[in-house]
Structures are given as structure tokens and as C-alpha cells.
Amino acid sequence: MSALSVSDRLPAFPWDKLAPYKATAAAHPDGIVDLSVGTPVDPVPDLVQKALTDAADSPGYPTVWGTPELRDAITGWAARRLGARELTHHHVLPIVGSKELVAWLPTQLGLGPGDRVAFPRLAYPTYEVGARLARAEYEAYDDPTTLDPAGLKLLWLNSPSNPTGEVLAKDELTRIVAWAREHGVLVVSDECYLELGWEADPVSVLHPDVNGGSLDGLVAVHSLSKRSNLAGYRAAFLVGDPAVLGPLLEIRKHGGMMASAPTQAAVVAALGDDEHVRLQRERYAARRTALRRALLGHGFRIEHSEASLYLWATREESCWDTVAHLAELGILVAPGDFYGPAGDRFVRVALTATDDRVRAAVERLA
């Protein structure tokens, strides 16, 4: 098999289609306002930078499972912030950013032809990519409990949602978890935006009100990219069923999938401090308020968007017409069909631009 045959399994990389619109937006006299990719623009917190620097002299190999201090930090945070109970080190696994996990989890779980992976109708494209890499079958759902459970091996949840910002209520999560357990389906819940709820308070599948006090068949994915501006550090982790995480740890040891030692030290610092998260939330909240008001005033309708770092907006036209319209104003956004055909009349507007660039977008929309 060649690398070409593997790449043939994948869809065209969607962001390449945005290049001409980016060129149009960049030609604006006052420069581009790029609201297309949710990449952090604010500084890495000082205490995290210091922890990284202090750990810079790390000549030895790090471990895939991470230092005991890192595992302590993850279990402590998950108990404090998510309400998870009775966690041990066997309930956690550091990962090298959440995207690699999403892309390679079906393969690492041993899924292949005849196995099925399901994800939301509007979703981060990498869920589908992961299934394709494993040569597993895949399907998108509106309500996962209407899926045929035969052969369904991996059910992705994503709350708060990327791209829509929709939050699954506690009773809805409880219902889905009960259904999945009844049919022996592994639930992996992508909760990377959980600390960024605006009009809703997102709940984790790790909360005992959702899972009845048991983590059997459940794994949650968390990232420090958004909450702590650590996208450049590739810092994330799993929390959940040791019967799932144990074998994953062994596979990832063989594959050398380890976070660097300085990154592990930085994560310990970041998870131990809530104040920088509060400050970052305030920044995003102010940008969200300004952009939301400007979009509504410009004739947009906004759906969901009660959490996460995006506004899911429509002018009731093709998403590409909206992308082109905003590009003429020097504003770049992501077309909704990047996230599935159901998004073809929406655009995703990221809150991840500096205050100065957000002000520029607001002025242009007015």
C-alpha cells in the first residue's frame, strides 16, 4: 500500500477552498479581519510560560502516560470542574492535542471495515477523517438514539458543538448515555469548549448525574487550546473508562505519542489555575457581544451559539455567497458546508481575533 492510497481515502482539505476569499479580504485597505479559524490570539498566561521555561532542561524522554504530577492535575481538575468522582490515574491519558486523537482513535481502537462510527450532522470534519483512515463506515445523526446500534462501535458526542455552539442538556446526555450502554456502544464526548458556556452551562458526560456514578463505556476529550490559549503547545487529555484508556495507553506507547516534558509541566500549571480562564472568558464574552450585535444589525440570524468560540450565522443564502459578501468587507469567515451539507446556508464566525480586529469588523458591518 502506498501513502497515496491512504490519502485517497480522505476528502479534499476544505480550507484550501477558502484561499481566493482570503485574498479578497486581505486586499481591504484596512487589512483582513480573519474570523475563519478558531485559533487563539491572546498571550499564553505568564504562569504557564514560566512553567514551560522552568522545565526547558528536559534531556530525557517523557512518558506517554505523563508525570504523576500531570495525572494528579488532570484528576483534580476533572473532579473540581466537571464533577467527576473517584478518579485514579488509570482514568486519565494525556494526548498530543485533541485533533490527533480524533483522527487516529478509530484506528487505535482497532476499528475497520464493517464497523461504524457516528458523529453529529453538523460536526468537526476530523470525526469523518478518523473513520476514513480506519476504513470504517460512518454516518451523521440528528439524534444518536435513532441509529441502528448493530456494528456501531464509536459514538462521538460534541457539546458544546463546533461549529454551532449548541449545548446538550443534562437530561439529553443522560438519555444518550443510557441508550449507548444498553447497546454496548462506546461514547467519546468531545468537550473541548466546555469552559466557554455563555447562555448555557455545559455538562460533561463524566458528571455522575449523567452517568449514574460509573464511567463504563465513556471517555471525555478535553483540550487546553481554547481555555488557556495553548493551541501551540498541543496539550490535551482524555478522562474516562480505564478499560478503554489502558489499551490506548499501550498502543500509544508503541507509537511514541507523547507530549513533551515542558508541555506536561505547563499543563500542570494551567490546570491548577482558574483565574487565567476567567480573564480569557471575559475577553471572549466582550468580543462575542460586539460581533453578535453587529451581525444581527447587518441582517444575519444567529442559531444556537449558546457556548463555544463561534457564532453560527445565516443570511438565508448559500454559505459561499455569504463568505464572498463578507470577504468584500475584508472579513473572512468559514462556510458552514465545511461541517456537513446541513450547514450550507450558514457561516461560522470565530471570536478569536484581537480586540482591535473585532472593532474593525464591527465598524465594517455597520
Side-chain angles (χ1 to χ4, degrees):
M1 186 196 303
S2 70
L4 179 62
S5 66
V6 177
S7 68
D8 282 347
R9 295 182 209 157
L10 304 179
F13 190 63
W15 294 95
D16 294 343
K17 292 168 64 177
L18 208 53
Y21 301 93
K22 186 171 187 176
T24 298
H28 189 280
D30 183 38
I32 189 173
V33 179
D34 192 343
L35 306 178
S36 64
V37 183
T39 188
V41 296
D42 300 303
V44 172
D46 287 343
L47 84 161
V48 177
Q49 293 193 47
K50 183 177 187 307
L52 185 86
T53 304
D54 288 349
D57 185 16
S58 295
Y61 286 112
T63 67
V64 172
W65 203 16
T67 62
E69 292 79 12
L70 176 58
R71 286 176 257 144
D72 281 343
I74 295 171
T75 56
W77 177 84
R80 185 177 81 248
R81 183 63 187 84
L82 309 179
R85 291 185 193 153
E86 298 177 11
L87 295 178
T88 70
H89 287 193
H90 294 282
H91 290 88
V92 303
L93 181 59
I95 54 178
V96 191
S98 57
K99 185 170 185 174
E100 66 88 353
L101 184 279
V102 174
W104 294 107
L105 182 61
T107 299
Q108 291 176 7
L109 290 172
L111 305 190
D115 297 322
R116 288 167 49 238
V117 175
F119 43 79
R121 179 84 54 204
L122 284 163
Y124 184 46
T126 312
Y127 303 132
E128 179 183 325
V129 166
R132 286 179 178 237
L133 285 169
R135 289 194 261 192
E137 297 169 23
Y138 55 89
E139 62 188 291
Y141 64 77
D142 290 312
D143 175 355
T145 66
T146 63
L147 294 166
D148 178 359
L152 181 60
K153 297 294 177 64
L154 172 58
L155 174 62
W156 281 107
L157 303 182
N158 179 210
S159 175
S161 161
N162 173 15
T164 69
E166 182 178 9
V167 172
L168 294 175
K170 186 186 288 183
D171 58 353
E172 182 73 353
L173 282 172
T174 303
R175 184 178 71 85
I176 293 167
V177 166
W179 176 86
R181 283 178 165 164
E182 179 186 344
H183 297 289
V185 177
L186 173 64
V187 173
V188 181
S189 181
D190 180 346
E191 301 176 352
C192 290
Y193 295 90
L194 186 133
E195 297 211 75
L196 296 163
W198 312 116
E199 294 156 13
D201 189 14
V203 180
S204 172
V205 295
L206 304 176
H207 196 287
D209 288 355
V210 171
N211 60 45
S214 164
L215 297 185
D216 291 353
L218 300 177
V219 175
V221 185
H222 283 272
S223 167
L224 287 90
S225 294
K226 316 301 185 188
R227 75 184 287 281
S228 301
N229 301 332
L230 297 191
Y233 284 44
R234 309 315 301 134
F237 55 88
L238 306 179
V239 183
D241 187 348
V244 178
L245 299 189
L248 279 180
L249 172 60
E250 293 306 313
I251 291 162
R252 294 172 66 84
K253 282 180 182 177
H254 283 291
M257 303 178 92
M258 59 190 84
S260 74
T263 296
Q264 292 187 29
V267 171
V268 173
L271 290 178
D273 177 73
D274 295 331
E275 179 62 13
H276 79 273
V277 181
R278 186 187 66 78
L279 293 173
Q280 189 59 44
R281 274 181 55 88
E282 287 181 357
R283 292 186 190 114
Y284 284 135
R287 292 167 189 163
R288 179 181 184 273
T289 298
L291 284 169
R292 191 173 192 278
R293 186 181 298 130
L295 289 166
L296 292 172
H298 197 75
F300 280 87
R301 178 171 62 82
I302 293 173
E303 268 193 17
H304 300 304
S305 307
E306 59 257 30
S308 85
L309 287 182
Y310 311 105
L311 293 168
W312 187 239
T314 180
R315 298 208 313 164
E316 313 297 347
E317 64 185 3
S318 160
C319 60
W320 288 100
D321 289 345
T322 306
V323 168
H325 167 74
L326 291 174
E328 293 293 338
L329 300 177
I331 300 169
L332 190 67
V333 297
D337 67 3
F338 278 10
Y339 307 95
D344 65 356
R345 297 178 73 79
F346 284 79
V347 293
R348 193 193 75 169
V349 184
L351 310 179
T352 49
T354 63
D355 293 341
D356 172 66
R357 290 287 82 190
V358 168
R359 274 193 295 274
V362 168
E363 288 166 7
R364 296 174 196 181
L365 289 166

